[in-house]
Amino acid sequence: MEKSDEGENSSSSSSRRSIVSSNEDLMVNILSRLSMKVLLRFKCVSKQWNLLISDPYFVSTHQGRATQNQNIIKLLWMTHDGSIGVCSIDEKEERKGTHDLIRSNYPDGFKCHFVHMVRPPCNGLICLENRCSNGFFMVYNPTTRNTLVIPRGKEREYDYLEGLGFCSSSNEFKLVHLYLKSEGYGYGYGYDYGCELSTVGQRGVHPQQPSRSWPIP
Amino acid sequence: MSSTKIFLKSSDDKTFEIDETAARASETLKNIIDGGCLDGVIPLPNVSSNILPKVIEYCKKHGGDNGSSKKIANGGVDKDKEILPDYDEEEDKREKVRVDELKKWEEEYMDFDQQVLYDLMLAANYLHIKGLLDLTVEKAASMIRGRTPDQIRENFNINSDFTPEEEEEMILIEDEWDDEWAFD
């Protein structure tokens, strides 16, 4: 095995590193192996790194790798005032009651009445719902810990269902909110449904509300 | 198995010889071979003669025995084996020794200084050698893990384009979240 040549000077070595750092695939590969704590520190390296670490593609790559190596189940919920709670459950012990607080102004989550389960994560983002009268949706990015509140429409809703999807061609998330506009039980005419679509793109949320609303016969 | 020899030419015009079976560890070379474009020497304008022998060393070790490199990825467990009724304990032991030996080899192989690391990473990326790319990327990640943003900028030749105020703000945000994070 031939040893690395002494003649290889440091300037060529540093240019190699520049090539690596400008190769987005390689940087995603390297950075997605680091913990979130380290990544938060590296967000201020440059604007490009900040963008890369916040990108949905990076978020999903990172989360895929992070969850792969873990034996711990995480539980995430939102309380009525929009605080988020996280609980780690160790598989070996039945219930390890650590509740890491994500928001600094977090009240005692276990005493709250409006605790709701989380929808399955969509490409790294998680959609939480708040079912109070002035309820809202919250899109939560566990990698950057940023939250985004999406208000529900003005129409009276009786029951609803929502889901978050990712459109890879536009690099945007769509929050689909399907709801029942009247209490139609017992009548033979079918129910009156409404649908609301919000787009969560890289430039924030654009609620196109109500983008489309139609009854289903 | 007697194997066809393939010749690789580095960026600085030095020629190296490699068995076809070993060369197949590289997706890029595999495609060239299968595509029938084997016209004597394969030029590799992105790989220098400092790095190419190191790459060939890896390919020799991994080419043609994809089985055991896969087993490392599965943590040494071959799931298919559990299904077989006549489970060969001896064979399993030999396999385990082989995997351990390979792990040890990789440890020694990866013992080089930083200059080589990024060259090797770029070569693995260019030649699509997934195992080698994983090894080098993992090493790079473990090297930068404990560094400050300043050291990172120096390492990757990056100029900060944040104003001092912006940077201050980002550090504040970071401190605010300075607790254990759930998806770490």
Side-chain angles (χ1 to χ4, degrees), chain A residues 141-169:
Chain A
N141 182 338
T143 303
T144 59
R145 297 188 204 188
N146 288 332
T147 54
L148 181 78
V149 171
I150 299 175
R152 295 222 302 265
K154 290 185 186 76
E155 277 192 280
R156 177 105 169 80
E157 302 156 2
Y158 289 88
D159 198 9
Y160 61 86
L161 195 70
E162 82 284 339
L164 190 68
F166 181 66
C167 173
S168 57
S169 61

Side-chain angles (χ1 to χ4, degrees), chain B residues 80-97:
Chain B
D80 297 341
K81 229 164 212 167
E82 289 162 22
I83 305 162
L84 291 173
D86 49 344
Y87 174 76
D88 188 342
E89 206 169 300
E90 279 301 305
E91 175 60 31
D92 200 51
K93 260 185 203 160
R94 276 198 295 276
E95 197 55 52
K96 207 170 173 316
V97 169

Side-chain angles (χ1 to χ4, degrees), chain B residues 89-137:
Chain B
E89 206 169 300
E90 279 301 305
E91 175 60 31
D92 200 51
K93 260 185 203 160
R94 276 198 295 276
E95 197 55 52
K96 207 170 173 316
V97 169
R98 245 161 58 87
V99 170
D100 286 348
E101 187 263 331
L102 199 63
K103 270 188 186 163
K104 195 165 165 278
W105 180 87
E106 277 180 356
E107 226 166 85
E108 283 168 15
Y109 175 83
M110 289 301 288
D111 185 26
F112 45 71
D113 61 17
Q114 231 198 91
Q115 288 189 2
V116 181
L117 177 65
Y118 292 100
D119 276 324
L120 200 56
M121 187 192 295
L122 287 166
N125 190 45
Y126 170 65
L127 290 167
H128 290 271
I129 309 170
K130 195 181 173 298
L132 184 57
L133 186 63
D134 274 343
L135 280 178
T136 49
V137 164

Side-chain angles (χ1 to χ4, degrees), chain B residues 6-181:
Chain B
I6 284 170
F7 295 94
L8 306 174
K9 193 160 84 183
S10 68
S11 58
D12 44 348
D13 279 340
K14 288 184 186 161
T15 306
F16 297 84
E17 187 189 279
I18 183 173
D19 283 346
E20 189 191 312
T21 45
R24 284 179 178 275
S26 151
E27 279 295 315
T28 308
L29 294 180
K30 185 171 162 279
N31 288 340
I32 294 174
I33 296 164
D34 291 344
C37 307
L38 253 187
D39 190 20
V41 183
I42 301 175
L44 301 174
N46 290 347
V47 188
S48 75
S49 62
N50 289 332
I51 291 304
L52 197 47
K54 189 87 182 157
V55 175
I56 291 174
E57 188 189 350
Y58 182 90
C59 289
K60 272 186 186 159
K61 193 74 188 176
H62 289 81
D65 72 335
N66 291 323
S68 44
S69 48
K70 265 186 203 144
K71 273 180 195 103
I72 283 193
N74 293 339
V77 182
D78 190 347
K79 280 170 189 153
D80 297 341
K81 229 164 212 167
E82 289 162 22
I83 305 162
L84 291 173
D86 49 344
Y87 174 76
D88 188 342
E89 206 169 300
E90 279 301 305
E91 175 60 31
D92 200 51
K93 260 185 203 160
R94 276 198 295 276
E95 197 55 52
K96 207 170 173 316
V97 169
R98 245 161 58 87
V99 170
D100 286 348
E101 187 263 331
L102 199 63
K103 270 188 186 163
K104 195 165 165 278
W105 180 87
E106 277 180 356
E107 226 166 85
E108 283 168 15
Y109 175 83
M110 289 301 288
D111 185 26
F112 45 71
D113 61 17
Q114 231 198 91
Q115 288 189 2
V116 181
L117 177 65
Y118 292 100
D119 276 324
L120 200 56
M121 187 192 295
L122 287 166
N125 190 45
Y126 170 65
L127 290 167
H128 290 271
I129 309 170
K130 195 181 173 298
L132 184 57
L133 186 63
D134 274 343
L135 280 178
T136 49
V137 164
E138 189 58 57
K139 185 167 171 151
S142 69
M143 277 168 57
I144 64 171
R145 196 162 277 143
R147 298 200 182 168
T148 64
D150 271 336
Q151 289 169 326
I152 292 293
R153 285 185 206 116
E154 200 182 322
N155 189 61
F156 289 107
N157 281 348
I158 299 168
N159 293 320
S160 174
D161 42 10
F162 284 114
T163 63
E165 290 81 21
E166 283 174 324
E167 197 171 322
E168 185 93 340
E169 203 175 302
M170 298 201 69
I171 291 166
L172 283 179
I173 296 170
E174 179 197 320
D175 288 346
E176 201 176 305
W177 296 130
D178 197 20
D179 47 9
E180 280 303 304
W181 166 234

Side-chain angles (χ1 to χ4, degrees), chain A residues 66-80:
Chain A
T67 48
Q68 225 170 38
N69 309 326
Q70 294 234 337
N71 301 316
I72 294 171
I73 300 171
K74 309 286 187 189
L75 202 73
L76 195 84
W77 67 87
M78 184 168 73
T79 62
H80 67 286

